[in-house]
């Protein structure tokens, strides 16, 4: 065989086809699934946290209305509304209805204790007004600072 005949049998060098973006390699599919799973879990957890504290946001709105009413007219009916709000708040925070009928010294103990908080949020005077003041004809009045402490109590009573 001569050299020209051998060279004629060879083909030209061809560049390989360009690598396309699709289909994606399996590693990228796995990464995409992991990222989507993380995003879905994050959205679920945020929604769960947000929906579990709806009661707290509603209680704080209602507290503002009661505070406005009470500071203009400090009657025992407004104090009763405040007590009802606090009892509903603790029932929602602890996910039970056992605290709705609590009165007297038991109610004072509940007001004094907030889970995961070392120092009591409410002062003893506030606790006495809220636990005993609704039963007395003349009682001391809650001031604006007391309502700030009550707001803090509502916010912290839902922390677990």
């Amino acid at each position: 065989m001569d050299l020209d005949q051998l060279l004629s049998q060879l083909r030209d060098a061809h560049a390989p086809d360009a690598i396309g973006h699709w289909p994606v390699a399996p590693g990228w599919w796995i990464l995409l699934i992991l990222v989507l799973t993380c995003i879905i879990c994050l959205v679920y957890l945020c929604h769960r946290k947000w929906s579990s504290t709806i009661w707290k946001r509603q209680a704080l709105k209602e507290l503002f209305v009661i505070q406005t009413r009470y500071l203009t007219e400090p009657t025992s009916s407004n104090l009763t509304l405040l007590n009802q709000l606090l009892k509903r708040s603790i029932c929602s925070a602890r996910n039970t209805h056992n605290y709705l009928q609590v009165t007297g010294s038991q109610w004072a103990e509940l007001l004094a204790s907030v889970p995961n908080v070392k120092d009591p949020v409410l002062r003893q005077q506030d606790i006495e007004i809220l636990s005993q003041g609704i039963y007395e004809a003349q009682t001391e009045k809650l001031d604006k600072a007391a309502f700030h402490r009550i707001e803090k109590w509502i916010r912290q009573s839902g922390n677990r």
Side-chain angles (χ1 to χ4, degrees):
M1 295 207 127
D2 82 20
L3 188 59
D4 289 334
Q5 192 179 14
L6 288 173
L7 286 176
S8 67
Q9 292 176 0
L10 293 176
R11 287 189 270 158
D12 283 338
H14 292 270
D17 293 335
I19 298 174
H21 295 297
W22 203 259
V24 180
W28 288 108
W29 281 109
I30 293 170
L31 182 64
L32 178 67
I33 290 169
L34 285 173
V35 167
L36 287 176
T37 303
C38 288
I39 290 172
I40 290 170
C41 288
L42 184 65
V43 167
Y44 171 74
L45 291 174
C46 288
H47 180 268
R48 190 169 135 193
K49 174 71 173 169
W50 180 82
S51 62
S52 70
T53 58
I54 287 176
W55 68 267
K56 193 182 295 189
R57 289 188 297 278
Q58 290 175 343
L60 292 173
K61 286 179 187 175
E62 193 172 336
L63 176 67
F64 179 73
V65 172
I66 293 172
Q67 175 184 352
T68 306
R69 254 196 231 157
Y70 184 84
L71 292 177
T72 57
E73 185 182 352
T75 62
S76 62
S77 64
N78 288 331
L79 201 56
T80 302
L81 288 173
L82 180 60
N83 258 324
Q84 290 172 352
L85 172 67
L86 294 176
K87 287 180 181 182
R88 287 193 325 261
S89 296
I90 199 165
C91 287
S92 295
R94 297 184 182 178
N95 204 15
T96 181
H97 293 289
N98 296 340
Y99 301 108
L100 292 176
Q101 275 72 32
V102 174
T103 57
S105 61
Q106 286 180 318
W107 179 231
E109 288 174 20
L110 278 172
L111 289 171
S113 66
V114 176
N116 302 326
V117 177
K118 293 178 185 174
D119 299 327
V121 177
L122 297 175
R123 292 185 181 166
Q124 190 60 36
Q125 179 185 1
D126 304 334
I127 294 171
E128 288 175 9
I129 293 171
L130 290 169
S131 62
Q132 304 297 329
I134 58 173
Y135 306 115
E136 298 173 2
Q138 292 292 328
T139 184
E140 294 184 41
K141 295 175 177 62
L142 296 171
D143 57 352
K144 197 165 188 158
F147 276 97
H148 287 294
R149 289 188 295 275
I150 291 170
E151 177 184 347
K152 186 176 179 182
W153 185 88
I154 290 173
R155 287 183 190 278
Q156 291 181 346
S157 66
N159 297 341
R160 294 181 185 182

